[in-house]
Every structure is written in C-alpha cells, then in structure tokens.
Amino acid sequence: MKLIFLGPPGAGKGTQAERVIERLGVPQISTGELLRRAMKEGTETGVKARGYIESGALVPDEIVLDLVAERLAQPDCQNGYLLDGFPRTLNQAEALERVAQMDAVVNIQVPDEVIVKRLSGRRVCAACGHTTHVDLAPDGVCPKCGKPLTQRKDDDASAVANRLVVYAKQTQPLIEYYEKKGLLLSVDGCQEMNAVTEEILARLQELGR
Ligand code: AP5
C-alpha cells in the first residue's frame, strides 16, 4: 500500500503515521525527519536545509525530491510506504506521480488554534525519535525509552506562524488536487489520538486499500 499523510503542521501526521505503519507493515517516510537527520549529521543537504527549516519555510523542491528518490529506492519500500509530510507542493506531487501510483491520501484536518497549542507543547525524544506533548510527559522524560525530551527549533511561535502561512499557500492546494483524482480521505484530527487512528484504518479498509 502507498499512502500520503497530508495536513497542516501539528495536525498529527507523524503521530498517526507511527501508529498506522504498525498495523499496515509499511515504512514511514517523513521528509521532515530525513531533513532533520541530514542536519544532525551535517551533510551537504542538511547544511542547505537548516535555514529554511528553522524559519518555517519549505526546503527547495530539488533538495527534497533527491532525498525522497534515494529513500524510495531502498528495499524496504518495495511493497509500499507511508509518506508523511511529502508532497508539499504541486511540483512535488507531479514528480511523485511520475514514479508511483498512490492508493490513498489521508488529509488530517485541524484548525489553526489547536495547532498552535499542540506545537507549543510538542516534545521529541532525541534518543528514540518518539513525539509527545508536555501534557502527556510533564516530567520531561520520553514515555517510550525514558531519555530526556527536547523541543524542535521550528516550534517557536514565529516559525509556527510562518509554517501556517506556508501551508495555506503552498500545500493546501494539494487537497483539491488529490480530491479530483478520487484519492482523498479527510479525517477529523481533533479527536483523541486513538479515535483518529481507528478512523483512518476504518476508512482505508472501506476502500479495500
Ligand atoms: P515536518 O517535520 O514534516 O513538519 P510539519 O509538517 O510541520 O509537521 P509536524 O511534524 O510539525 O506535525 P505533525 O502533523 O507530524 O504532528 P505531530 O504528530 O508531531 O517538516 C518540518 C520542516 O521540514 C518543514 O517546515 C520544512 O521546512 C521541511 N520539510 C519537510 N518536508 C518537506 C517537503 N516535502 N518539502 C519542503 N520542505 C519540507 O503532532 C504534533 C503535536 O500534537 C504532538 O505534540 C502530538 O503529541 C500532539 N498530537 C497529535 N495528535 C493529537 C491528538 N489527536 N490530540 C492531541 N494531541 C495530539
């Protein structure tokens, strides 16, 4: 199965992807994670991407497309994958369509005021990569592996405001793009996490995908 998770920053794409891949048995490919790893490792891609990411802008298409092409060529992608945060521009969507046919695009809908609350409290484990929220881990310790939690630089208020503007302008048009192709499944991302997961899985099952 080949899936895309679409939605504004903080909609819960990563949270839901982590859960859904366990049930579907396909790898999660998060372009945000690939870029953050490149930054951490200090690769040429990472150096080029840093300024864009930290200000909340999109990384140029050519950088992201190279990164995705390299990842999709790996053997674990042979039987499908879940794309989390890609594509994010019409140009990226068209490039993807030239190399792969998607089965469904899950659009996780969450209003801006909820996003701001979620992102200001988001915490990420530097050791295992698990994403959580201060409300769920008030002691600052990862509930999965017990290591300290950190905050993403692009979760500061000005970067979040910019990410919302960028999403509306560059990524939101993909909703109509995939709707016209009959691939879009919209789910209410404001529900409790388990309810969102169950709705996504039920909608995929209904489609027989
Ligand atoms: P990326 O890492 O993809 O960030 P994003 O799309 O902005 O999405 P987030 O990771 O912020 O949020 P999410 O939807 O995964 O939510 P999460 O599950 O964490 O990209 C970062 C940057 O990299 C971009 O700004 C750009 O610069 C660059 N980039 C990446 N891909 C690119 C591309 N294709 N092209 C160009 N540039 C690219 O949840 C958020 C919080 O909410 C968490 O604390 C979580 O615990 C909580 N939460 C989740 N679900 C619920 C729920 N149902 N109820 C209550 N709380 C919830």
Side-chain angles (χ1 to χ4, degrees):
M1 181 177 304
K2 292 179 182 152
L3 290 177
I4 293 170
F5 274 16
L6 194 65
K13 301 180 296 295
T15 300
Q16 293 304 327
E18 201 177 316
R19 292 155 171 249
V20 166
I21 59 162
E22 274 180 23
R23 305 273 277 270
L24 300 182
V26 294
Q28 170 187 2
I29 299 176
S30 156
T31 40
E33 280 306 319
L34 292 175
L35 289 162
R36 281 186 289 279
R37 192 180 312 148
M39 276 163 48
K40 201 170 164 190
E41 290 169 357
T43 65
E44 200 186 329
T45 298
V47 171
K48 285 185 192 159
R50 183 177 294 277
Y52 297 102
I53 293 183
E54 289 183 353
S55 69
L58 291 186
V59 173
D61 285 344
E62 59 275 16
I63 296 178
V64 175
L65 290 172
D66 281 352
L67 210 56
V68 172
E70 198 182 310
R71 181 65 186 88
L72 294 186
Q74 289 174 18
D76 64 332
C77 293
Q78 263 178 3
N79 295 323
Y81 39 79
L82 189 166
L83 295 170
D84 161 11
F86 176 89
R88 253 175 156 99
T89 63
L90 280 171
N91 186 33
Q92 291 180 13
E94 285 161 4
L96 176 64
E97 206 172 330
R98 287 193 285 275
V99 296
Q101 174 63 52
M102 292 298 118
D103 293 298
V105 177
V106 176
N107 175 34
I108 305 180
Q109 297 175 306
V110 176
D112 286 4
E113 61 275 17
V114 177
I115 285 168
V116 170
K117 186 169 178 290
R118 283 186 184 178
L119 293 185
S120 60
R122 173 164 58 186
R123 298 293 180 267
V124 182
C125 177
C128 75
H130 180 63
T131 294
T132 185
H133 193 276
V134 277
D135 293 348
L136 301 173
D139 53 357
V141 165
C142 176
K144 272 205 166 168
C145 76
K147 296 276 166 46
L149 293 168
T150 59
Q151 189 166 19
R152 270 170 50 175
K153 261 202 170 155
D154 61 345
D155 280 347
D156 80 52
S158 74
V160 169
N162 195 27
R163 284 160 70 195
L164 287 170
V165 171
V166 167
Y167 170 77
K169 202 170 158 192
Q170 295 184 262
T171 307
Q172 216 164 9
L174 295 182
I175 294 175
E176 195 185 337
Y177 177 86
Y178 285 118
E179 196 160 33
K180 281 188 180 152
K181 291 183 183 295
L183 290 174
L184 199 75
L185 298 177
S186 288
V187 302
D188 174 10
C190 289
Q191 307 171 81
E192 186 274 321
M193 287 179 196
N194 289 334
V196 180
T197 313
E198 292 313 317
E199 185 179 344
I200 293 171
L201 291 168
R203 300 285 300 280
L204 290 173
Q205 205 169 19
E206 267 171 34
L207 289 175
R209 290 172 185 165

